[in-house]
């Protein structure tokens, strides 16, 4: 800014006194000042949009807003758990049939499938006490299959299992399989999960309302060349929790911040009104909250920005997964893109000149947010690299600073919103020491997500509750293998339907 007083410096809002601005402007304009001031006063309200801060201010929420959001989340958890209120609840709080954390004695070879976001993986896991070894391969799910028919999807999955087994020389073996299927499901047993709705860009016909394990088994049968039985289906949140609990007995919350966002936690059976299993020890069950759907009834409208509304409108599932869309990796880049695009159109960025890339939906990747925010000095090395990738020709250091500011506003809001959910769970469980197992590329790679979350959760939890937020490794593989191991042991000992060691089939 050339006026001598930086009135619109990002983040400096409120630090410049009105009198100083007045005096500086008077000094600059001399005799013309009164005339210009009179003219400006007539039109100023129409030009509010010409300030960077005004355009991005809606991303900044107050402490009271976050406190209120936590109370809303708590209310939604209780609504989901209640028998009468569950049918109309948006946060569904599905019981998972996983009853306890592992005891460390699980062992053997297991296959796992990880479906539910950016990559589909097949894994081979060996458990031997605390020792876990793993091999995995990523297989692409082409766009036409993501939005094709269920039969195509499961045939493709069965083909990938076959390829993997063939490459690992396992075709002649019978290996128990655990399926990490990370979409909202109503479970009716450890290996029965009925998909309620697709999310995160998937939309395969004929799967909603069906048991995905049955569809998988049918596809395997259609091929007839592999001997694989799925013993357990879990959500990635449960995988994260189980994997971390393998070495930390305090672990009681599993959190995902990747393509989507979701969390699970350990709840007392007496609070789960819809529980239809046994009441043996341990009298608890993991609840898959499916909290991504918070806001689908409009309860988050008071914090939504125009950018959030646009992202939702152009998504494959408008009106759904509102909380998820304000937080997770699938949407964050796009929220950020829309803000600089608007600033650019107002001539406030890149001298008003954009690029086709910057104008293309989905072209600003969420990893750019991490990269831009990783710049720590005024060289803006990463930021400039991102600008180059977006084919932006003209940019100044001020543009870099503004881009960094916008990224930090959006990612901070996301981290604080996710903290609201975690704090609500911690307050609800009311245990003294809880480890939260977090997984997902957004949490893993963003330079400040962890610290921001710790700060906000600390503000929101009841005094006396201590928590640790820990990166969970390979939950979708290791977690699935652990649950499958216990299911397999129960089956082999003929106790299939007994809830021993927390698992029921
Ligand atoms: P999934 O949730 O599908 O299991 P991930 O945990 O890898 O997969 O999360 C994928 C999401 O993370 C994508 O939406 C992607 O945009 C985002 N992502 C990937 N790399 C980064 C990064 N470096 N920083 C922030 N987000 C990232
Ligand atoms: Mg994952």
């Amino acid at each position: 800014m050339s006026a001598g007083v930086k009135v619109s410096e990002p983040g400096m809002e409120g630090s410049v006194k009105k009198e100083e601005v007045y005096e500086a402007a008077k000094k600059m304009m001399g005799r013309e000042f009164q005339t210009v001031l009179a003219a400006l006063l007539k039109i100023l309200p129409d030009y509010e949009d010409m300030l960077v801060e005004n355009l991005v201010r809606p991303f900044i929420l107050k402490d009271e807003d976050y406190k209120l959001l936590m109370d809303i989340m708590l209310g939604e958890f209780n609504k989901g758990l209640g028998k009468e209120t569950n049918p109309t609840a948006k946060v569904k709080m599905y019981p998972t049939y996983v009853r306890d954390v592992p005891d460390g004695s699980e062992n053997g070879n297991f296959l796992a499938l990880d479906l539910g976001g950016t990559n589909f993986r097949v894994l081979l896991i060996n458990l031997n006490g605390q020792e876990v070894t793993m091999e995995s391969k990523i297989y692409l799910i082409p766009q036409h299959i993501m939005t094709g028919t269920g039969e195509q999807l499961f045939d493709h999955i069965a083909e990938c299992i076959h390829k993997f087994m063939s490459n690992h020389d396992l075709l002649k073996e019978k290996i128990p399989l655990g399926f990490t299927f990370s979409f909202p499901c109503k479970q009716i047993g450890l290996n029965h999960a009925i998909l309620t709705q697709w999310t995160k860009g998937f939309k395969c016909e004929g799967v909603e309302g069906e048991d995905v394990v049955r569809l998988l088994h049918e596809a395997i049968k259609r091929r007839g060349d592999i001997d694989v039985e799925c013993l357990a289906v879990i959500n990635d949140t449960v995988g994260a929790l189980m994997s971390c609990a393998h070495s930390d007995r305090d672990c009681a919350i599993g959190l995902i911040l990747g393509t989507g966002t979701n969390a699970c936690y350990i709840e007392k059976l007496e609070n789960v009104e819809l529980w239809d299993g046994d009441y043996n020890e341990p009298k608890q069950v993991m609840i898959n909250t499916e909290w991504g759907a918070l806001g689908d009834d409009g309860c988050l409208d008071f914090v939504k920005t125009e950018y959030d509304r646009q992202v939702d409108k152009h998504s494959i599932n408008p009106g759904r997964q509102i909380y998820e869309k304000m937080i997770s990796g699938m949407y964050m880049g796009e929220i950020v893109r829309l803000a600089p695009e608007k600033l650019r159109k107002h001539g406030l960025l890149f001298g008003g000149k954009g690029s086709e890339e910057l104008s293309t939906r989905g072209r600003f990747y969420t990893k750019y947010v991490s990269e831009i925010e990783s710049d720590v000095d005024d060289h803006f090395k990463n930021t400039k690299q991102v600008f180059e990738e977006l084919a932006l020709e003209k940019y100044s250091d001020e543009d870099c600073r503004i881009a960094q500011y916008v990224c930090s506003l959006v990612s901070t809001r996301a981290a604080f919103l996710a903290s609201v959910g975690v704090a609500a769970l911690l307050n609800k469980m009311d245990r003294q020491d809880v480890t939260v197992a977090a997984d997902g590329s957004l949490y893993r790679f963003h330079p400040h997500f962890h610290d921001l979350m710790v700060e906000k959760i600390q503000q929101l939890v009841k005094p006396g509750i201590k928590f640790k937020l820990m990166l969970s490794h390979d939950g979708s593989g290791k977690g699935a293998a652990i649950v499958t191991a216990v299911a397999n042991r129960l089956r082999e000992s003929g106790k299939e339907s007994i809830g021993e060691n927390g698992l029921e089939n």
Side-chain angles (χ1 to χ4, degrees):
M1 210 139 298
S2 57
V5 180
K6 290 192 173 185
V7 280
S8 76
E9 190 166 323
M12 298 288 286
E13 176 199 347
S15 64
V16 179
K17 290 206 181 76
K18 267 193 270 180
E19 299 77 25
E20 286 175 20
V21 178
Y22 180 89
E23 287 306 326
K26 201 159 88 175
K27 209 163 126 195
M28 262 187 332
M29 280 182 259
R31 282 175 41 220
E32 310 295 333
F33 180 61
Q34 282 295 318
T35 324
V36 174
L37 182 64
L40 280 177
L41 281 173
K42 277 192 200 139
I43 59 161
L44 271 179
D46 298 339
Y47 280 78
E48 277 195 348
D49 275 9
M50 293 306 290
L51 281 180
V52 173
E53 301 99 281
N54 284 353
L55 287 170
V56 296
R57 182 172 293 128
F59 289 126
I60 303 172
L61 307 184
K62 296 191 212 62
D63 285 353
E64 302 91 81
D65 292 328
Y66 287 112
K67 171 79 180 59
L68 176 60
L69 287 166
M70 182 178 71
D71 294 339
I72 291 174
M73 184 65 107
L74 258 171
E76 289 299 305
F77 287 159
N78 289 329
K79 213 170 147 186
L81 287 172
K83 199 172 188 157
E84 309 265 283
T85 42
N86 178 277
T88 55
K90 293 294 178 189
V91 178
K92 285 294 187 190
M93 308 294 275
Y94 295 113
T96 62
Y97 293 84
V98 179
R99 296 278 289 274
D100 205 357
V101 293
D103 66 8
S105 69
E106 297 75 18
N107 67 70
N109 272 334
F110 302 93
L111 282 174
L113 301 178
D114 176 14
L115 180 74
T118 307
N119 290 313
F120 167 60
R121 295 183 307 159
V122 182
L123 305 97
L124 175 66
I125 302 109
N126 179 269
L127 299 178
N128 183 12
Q130 283 300 304
E131 245 174 76
V132 183
T133 52
M134 205 161 359
E135 288 173 69
S136 70
K137 183 156 171 55
I138 291 175
Y139 294 90
L140 205 72
I141 302 218
Q143 188 64 38
H144 75 271
I145 290 189
M146 282 173 75
T147 51
T149 69
E151 204 168 292
Q152 281 172 326
L153 174 70
F154 285 97
D155 281 344
H156 180 71
I157 291 174
E159 189 186 329
C160 295
I161 300 175
H162 179 269
K163 271 191 204 153
F164 184 88
M165 291 182 78
S166 160
N167 288 341
H168 289 78
D169 213 11
L170 297 168
L171 282 175
K172 291 197 191 72
E173 295 192 34
K174 185 176 169 74
I175 308 182
L177 177 131
F179 190 3
T180 303
F181 183 76
S182 308
F183 297 97
C185 284
K186 179 174 163 42
Q187 281 196 243
I188 47 174
L190 190 58
N191 65 350
H192 297 287
I194 295 170
L195 176 69
T196 39
Q197 65 183 44
W198 285 115
T199 54
K200 299 182 281 192
F202 275 78
K203 211 157 185 83
C204 304
E205 209 186 298
V207 186
E208 290 180 346
E210 300 295 327
D211 178 358
V212 294
V213 177
R214 183 178 59 77
L215 297 178
L216 174 66
H217 283 158
E218 283 172 6
I220 288 172
K221 213 164 157 192
R222 272 198 293 278
R223 294 187 63 88
D225 55 1
I226 42 176
D227 191 5
V228 169
E229 189 189 353
C230 173
L231 298 187
V233 57
I234 62 166
N235 186 265
D236 52 358
T237 56
V238 173
L241 195 164
M242 292 298 272
S243 172
C244 180
H246 198 233
S247 52
D248 180 345
R249 297 283 298 183
D250 283 337
C251 187
I253 295 178
L255 167 68
I256 296 292
L257 292 158
T259 304
T261 182
N262 189 15
C264 73
Y265 73 109
I266 303 176
E267 181 59 282
K268 298 183 194 83
L269 284 183
E270 66 194 50
N271 294 334
V272 189
E273 291 184 8
L274 287 168
W275 178 244
D276 58 0
D278 69 64
Y279 283 84
N280 300 337
E281 293 291 339
K283 294 189 184 343
Q284 60 180 26
V285 65
M286 284 179 205
I287 298 289
N288 167 16
T289 63
E290 286 298 339
W291 74 17
L294 181 79
D296 293 11
D297 59 356
C299 71
L300 294 180
D301 287 359
F302 76 106
V303 289
K304 265 202 241 163
T305 65
E306 61 175 294
Y307 311 106
D308 298 305
R309 280 189 284 273
Q310 278 212 45
V311 165
D312 179 44
K313 187 172 140 198
H314 295 294
S315 68
I316 196 168
N317 52 349
R320 298 253 171 113
Q321 302 292 105
I322 299 302
Y323 182 66
E324 173 163 274
K325 285 173 182 163
M326 296 174 86
I327 294 175
S328 74
M330 183 161 184
Y331 310 97
M332 185 187 288
E334 181 62 8
I335 298 177
V336 168
R337 184 189 73 83
L338 291 169
E341 220 355 39
K342 181 154 182 188
L343 294 176
R344 200 265 312 156
K345 281 187 191 148
H346 282 64
L348 298 167
L349 256 184
F350 312 127
K353 191 167 177 316
S355 67
E356 202 182 314
E357 279 80 354
L358 187 65
S359 305
T360 304
R361 203 172 295 142
R363 182 59 184 78
F364 191 101
Y365 308 129
T366 299
K367 70 173 179 153
Y368 290 165
V369 178
S370 294
E371 287 163 11
I372 290 176
E373 286 191 69
S374 296
D375 273 334
V376 286
D377 55 30
D378 284 349
H379 296 302
F380 298 111
K381 187 167 157 280
N382 294 336
T383 308
K384 288 177 179 170
Q385 173 70 35
V386 169
F387 287 174
E388 292 291 328
E389 281 185 37
L390 292 171
L392 292 159
E393 283 163 15
K394 227 178 93 187
Y395 49 82
S396 63
D397 281 0
E398 179 71 1
D399 292 333
C400 292
R401 232 156 38 81
I402 292 175
Q404 208 174 50
Y405 179 58
V406 174
C407 286
S408 78
L409 288 183
V410 176
S411 64
T412 300
R413 185 189 67 158
F416 285 178
L417 283 173
S419 305
V420 158
V422 173
L425 287 178
L426 288 167
N427 288 337
K428 179 161 177 39
M429 281 194 291
D430 208 11
R431 295 187 184 195
Q432 259 208 330
D433 290 283
V434 177
T435 300
V436 180
D439 197 1
S441 294
L442 178 59
Y443 174 80
R444 195 180 283 256
F445 297 120
H446 186 278
H448 312 304
F449 225 81
H450 169 89
D451 293 349
L452 288 164
M453 285 191 70
V454 170
E455 172 197 328
K456 195 45 134 190
I457 295 169
Q458 193 65 60
Q459 275 176 25
L460 292 168
V461 288
K462 291 187 221 167
I465 296 180
K466 285 198 262 151
F467 69 93
K468 270 191 290 191
L469 186 55
M470 257 183 60
L471 182 63
S472 173
H473 290 280
D474 295 306
S476 302
K478 188 171 142 189
I482 292 168
V483 177
T484 308
V486 181
N488 193 45
R489 192 170 70 217
L490 293 175
R491 191 168 69 154
E492 286 181 344
S493 66
K495 290 191 190 165
E496 217 166 316
S497 60
I498 300 171
E500 183 192 301
N501 210 2
L503 294 167
E504 187 191 89
N505 195 5

